[in-house]
Amino acid sequence: MIIEQPAKWLRWIYPKAIWRMDPSVRAVYLTFDDGPIPESTPFLLKTLREFDAKATFFMVGENVDRYPELFQQIIDEGHQVGNHTYNHLGAFKHWAATYLVNTHKANMLLNTHLFRPPHGWMRRSIYYWLSKKYKIVMWDLVTRDYSKWMTAEDVLNNVKRYARNGSIITFHDSLKSIDKLRFALPEALKWLKEQGYEFKTFD
């Protein structure tokens, strides 16, 4: 299992993917996977506003279809969007053609050039084709906010322990994460600001 920070061998599998931004710049890149959903997204947006922070939301097309007003709010508040497939597909459970069609279906709604595979994995054939169309954004730090074994304090401590210049930090816009993020997200943003980090998006 890949936790917190990706292993070097995983970076070798997807060499064109973005794992970390410029390590010479005191900045981090906040990302949120899986939304939008009404139980989570409004709190995330409120917290980001309070800290004057912009983020990139890697969204599931099916959720955008269900909650178009939340999708529009993310856009209106100046955040960036990325493709996370239409049905949050696991790449090894589906044919490559099925996965590519599903990703295209999501992008009909999202109209983005950024992609992140659900679970952080994809077949090499899928990677080959998607890397021709998208910037594939992975991560430098996974907070593990989705894990039932992690507390809100654990999530915060992961940010404090692993964040560094250029870190792409992954949170989740999901039911599994929101109870922890109500404490951990504002505390993490506060700490990152205190450490002098700027919040950036990919363009």
Side-chain angles (χ1 to χ4, degrees):
M1 180 172 63
I2 307 302
I3 57 175
E4 280 91 33
Q5 291 187 305
K8 289 182 179 179
W9 62 263
L10 187 59
R11 298 172 187 247
W12 294 336
I13 294 175
Y14 310 122
K16 292 182 180 179
I18 301 170
W19 296 92
R20 183 185 179 191
M21 300 299 280
D22 190 341
S24 68
V25 177
R26 194 71 170 168
V28 294
Y29 295 73
L30 305 172
T31 67
F32 295 87
D33 289 0
D34 300 348
I37 57 170
E39 296 87 350
S40 176
T41 309
F43 172 79
L44 303 181
L45 291 175
K46 173 178 175 290
T47 304
L48 291 168
R49 280 197 305 273
E50 290 172 353
F51 287 88
D52 193 26
K54 300 303 180 187
T56 303
F57 286 77
F58 287 91
M59 289 186 276
V60 174
E62 186 175 35
N63 287 339
V64 173
D65 258 341
R66 288 174 177 165
Y67 309 111
E69 70 287 352
L70 289 177
F71 170 70
Q72 191 59 49
Q73 186 179 355
I74 289 167
I75 298 293
D76 291 346
E77 296 196 18
H79 300 290
Q80 195 169 40
V81 302
N83 190 329
H84 205 47
T85 76
Y86 187 83
N87 296 110
H88 200 267
L89 293 189
F92 294 102
K93 296 180 180 179
H94 302 275
W95 294 105
T98 301
Y99 194 97
L100 294 170
V101 168
N102 194 271
T103 301
H104 176 71
K105 182 178 179 181
N107 217 47
M108 296 295 287
L109 298 167
L110 295 164
N111 191 29
T112 177
H113 65 291
L114 303 176
F115 177 79
R116 174 178 283 166
H119 315 296
W121 293 92
M122 57 191 143
R123 296 176 188 267
R124 287 282 297 175
S125 57
I126 293 170
Y127 164 73
Y128 172 80
W129 288 108
L130 290 182
S131 63
K132 291 180 175 294
K133 178 178 175 62
Y134 298 94
K135 286 184 180 179
I136 296 174
V137 180
M138 301 299 254
W139 69 90
D140 183 58
L141 162 56
V142 174
T143 62
R144 296 183 68 206
D145 52 0
Y146 54 83
S147 173
K148 64 181 180 181
W149 307 113
M150 303 289 285
T151 68
E153 286 283 357
D154 292 332
V155 173
L156 174 61
N157 287 335
N158 276 341
V159 174
K160 290 182 176 181
R161 181 177 180 182
Y162 294 106
R164 55 186 179 169
N165 287 4
S167 280
I168 299 170
I169 303 176
T170 299
F171 297 97
H172 289 79
D173 186 358
S174 71
L175 293 173
K176 290 181 179 179
S177 302
I178 187 56
D179 287 343
K180 287 177 258 229
L181 289 184
R182 291 189 188 281
F183 168 79
L185 182 61
E187 289 299 316
L189 298 188
K190 177 183 176 183
W191 181 84
L192 288 164
K193 274 204 160 185
E194 289 172 349
Q195 304 308 304
Y197 288 105
E198 183 181 354
F199 303 118
K200 288 190 173 184
T201 55
F202 296 100
D203 295 302

